[in-house]
Structures are given as C-alpha cells and as structure tokens.
Amino acid sequence: MDDTYQVTFRFPREWKRDPLYDDRPYFGVERPLPTAGRGFFQLLLMGEESDEPKQICKGLAEHVVRPFGENPTTRPMKVDGQSACLVWPSKDQGAPWDAAVVIKYPQPVEINGERYSILELDADKNYILAIIRTIRFISSARHNSPFLLEISPQNAKKTGTATWKADAPVSVILTMKNTSRRVLHVALTNPATDYRTTLMHNTDRVPVTENLQQMKEEVKSGHASTRNVLITLKPQQTCQDAIEIRSLYQRLTPGEYSLQVERDLPPELGKGIVESNTIKVTVID
C-alpha cells in the first residue's frame, strides 16, 4: 500500500525495497539478481489530465531504445474500473523480461506540488498480471464503494496516527457504513477471522503470531468461541467493532508502522473485499 501514490496492491513478501532507487518505489528480490525472471516492480507517475493510457503505451512500445523489445504488443484493459493499457515484451532474442501497465487515476494525485494523472507500473512479466488483479486506487475505493470500512486507533489524540507501547495491548476501532441503496447484513463472529490486517514496518510486512492460523482453523471447525452476531444496516447506517492488534502479531520493535484492515463484503454485494484507510503508528518502548 502507498498513501503517497494513492494505490494498494499485493506482491511477494520476499521482495524488498531497493535503496539504490530513492526517487520512486522499487521493490524486488535481493541482489545479486538473476539474469531473467528476477521479480521486481517499480512505480512511476506522469501525465496531464488530458493524457490517456493508450497514447502513453504507444510511446513506450515505440521508444527508440526499445525497452520492451523490437515488437512489443499493447492492449487496452480496465484496472479497478479505470482506463488502462498493457505493454507486453516481444519474443525476439534478448528481449527484456519487463512488462508495464499504464493506468488513468480516478483523480489526479499531487506530490511535492506537482499533479499527475497517470500511474505506470513496470514489473517482471511473470508477476505483473497477478499484481494488476490486486490493484485498488485508494481514492476510487473510498468514493465509489457501496460499503465503507474506516479504522481509527482507540484513544488517539490525532486522526490517523497513534503511539503504542511495544508490549501493551492496543485496539483499533472499525466503523462500517452502508453507502448503498440496499439493506445489508454484517456478520460479526471472531475479530481475528472477520478481518485481515496488514501491518507494515517501513517496507517490510510484520509476521503474524503462530497461533493465528490455528485460531482461524478452530473458528472454521466450530471449536472456537464466536459471537454469532448479525448486524442489519439500512442505507447510510453505520456499525462499529474493535480488534486487538497486539494479539495478532509478535512483539513489535520501536519504529514507524502503517496498518490497513480488510474484510469480506456483505453477502448482498456479492463476492469481494472492502479495504480500510491506512493509519500511521509509532511504537515505543
């Protein structure tokens, strides 16, 4: 997840941020890199509001240095409902393993006083399609979702931030809102299994405790205690829940963290997930 670039997506946990690239997010397998199929991605911003992915893909494919080989292919697509275009490398000898997807932002993002309307993600062609399927724009998810999930630290003095002691229990308040025109039902069973959390320390994902998977299996098999509460939400109604974060993770070392939570959509909205906002956390001794 990246609040600066206003986008979230999933990639292999073993990929680490490359310190050689300090001007953009660049993640990959640790050096030395193999010669092919090395596993990486990078994010680039560009474009004015009038620019479209199709024209940028054409420029990438026809660039004089041939970054995608002599005869790359391009095709239009949709990514999180947004206009996009895929550049696929050609099969000529020595062609690169890089592919790219160019996506129009739902709304332009502003970074250091500059506005950008296009996101380009370059990645190893063996991984890029799987990454694309997980891309969600934070702005579009927040404005267009029929069901919203907001998280906030309990007893936080400032919105979106919190300070936690390393060994102290800490709770996060979850507020769910029905923004659709339908009546929705939200099942509350066990917070550890109702929600899926992503806690990042710098650029590394924090591992969960060993007993979390066991807890999930016990809930699934009916051997763990659950609440079995079904909340009915009419349009524009909200409900709240809480989750104890420290019970899910090993001891946290002092430093800066970010937290995001997701859960399944109510059954009336079909299959899918809703992702929360991201909060910043400082852990102290």
Side-chain angles (χ1 to χ4, degrees):
M1 53 189 165
D2 193 298
D3 280 349
T4 302
Y5 285 69
Q6 291 291 294
V7 67
T8 70
F9 54 88
R10 300 185 185 279
F11 57 90
R13 181 178 299 179
E14 62 270 19
W15 292 6
K16 306 298 181 184
R17 187 156 195 164
D18 193 326
L20 294 180
Y21 298 85
D22 58 3
D23 61 337
R24 76 197 79 161
Y26 189 110
F27 286 70
V29 296
E30 295 187 26
R31 297 172 183 272
L33 301 176
T35 57
R38 60 192 186 277
F40 86 100
F41 79 82
Q42 67 173 340
L43 296 179
L44 301 168
L45 295 177
M46 64 192 70
E48 299 180 354
E49 291 191 47
S50 60
D51 291 333
E52 293 297 329
K54 182 179 179 180
Q55 69 190 76
I56 293 177
C57 279
K58 185 175 185 294
L60 292 173
E62 297 176 353
H63 195 280
V64 65
V65 300
R66 300 299 184 191
F68 301 98
E70 290 298 322
N71 298 290
T73 58
T74 65
R75 66 178 175 90
M77 63 190 311
K78 291 284 187 180
V79 177
D80 193 25
Q82 294 301 115
S83 174
C85 181
L86 180 70
V87 183
W88 197 257
S90 58
K91 297 181 179 179
D92 46 282
Q93 186 175 7
W97 283 73
D98 301 6
V101 62
V102 178
I103 316 167
K104 184 86 168 184
Y105 270 107
Q107 296 92 26
V109 299
E110 184 172 330
I111 300 176
N112 297 327
E114 299 289 337
R115 287 169 61 86
Y116 304 94
S117 65
I118 298 290
L119 174 70
E120 178 185 338
L121 183 146
D122 297 333
D124 185 314
K125 69 178 183 180
N126 289 331
Y127 294 90
I128 192 168
L129 296 180
I131 293 175
I132 288 172
R133 286 192 289 269
T134 69
I135 290 176
R136 298 292 183 272
F137 287 104
I138 295 174
S139 56
S140 64
R142 307 308 301 160
H143 291 294
N144 300 328
S145 175
F147 184 74
L148 296 179
L149 174 62
E150 294 277 351
I151 62 173
S152 59
Q154 191 174 40
N155 301 323
K157 295 182 179 180
K158 183 179 178 182
T159 302
T161 63
T163 299
W164 295 346
K165 289 190 175 181
D167 291 320
V170 289
S171 293
V172 169
I173 304 301
L174 305 101
T175 302
M176 290 158 278
K177 183 176 182 179
N178 178 5
T179 53
S180 75
R181 298 180 180 180
R182 309 168 62 180
V183 174
L184 304 179
H185 294 90
V186 179
L188 303 180
T189 57
N190 187 310
T193 54
D194 288 341
Y195 308 100
R196 296 173 291 276
T197 61
T198 300
L199 185 63
M200 302 290 292
H201 183 207
N202 298 323
T203 59
D204 296 326
R205 188 165 182 165
V206 180
V208 297
T209 57
E210 294 181 359
N211 65 352
L212 179 59
Q213 187 58 41
Q214 179 181 349
M215 185 187 308
K216 291 181 178 180
E217 292 297 328
E218 290 176 352
V219 171
K220 186 177 180 180
S221 64
H223 295 148
S225 59
T226 60
R227 297 173 292 182
N228 292 325
V229 176
L230 187 64
I231 303 293
T232 299
L233 289 181
K234 295 179 180 179
Q236 302 306 312
Q237 283 188 332
T238 63
C239 67
Q240 286 192 325
D241 200 3
I243 185 169
E244 209 289 295
I245 298 299
R246 280 290 298 116
S247 64
L248 307 179
Y249 293 96
Q250 301 171 8
R251 187 184 189 279
L252 304 180
T253 58
E256 301 297 321
Y257 293 78
S258 62
L259 174 70
Q260 188 179 44
V261 179
E262 69 176 42
R263 69 163 291 148
D264 293 337
L265 289 171
E268 293 84 359
L269 297 176
K271 293 184 178 180
I273 63 172
V274 58
E275 295 176 323
S276 75
N277 56 308
T278 301
I279 61 174
K280 304 296 184 181
V281 177
T282 300
V283 174
I284 60 176
D285 281 327

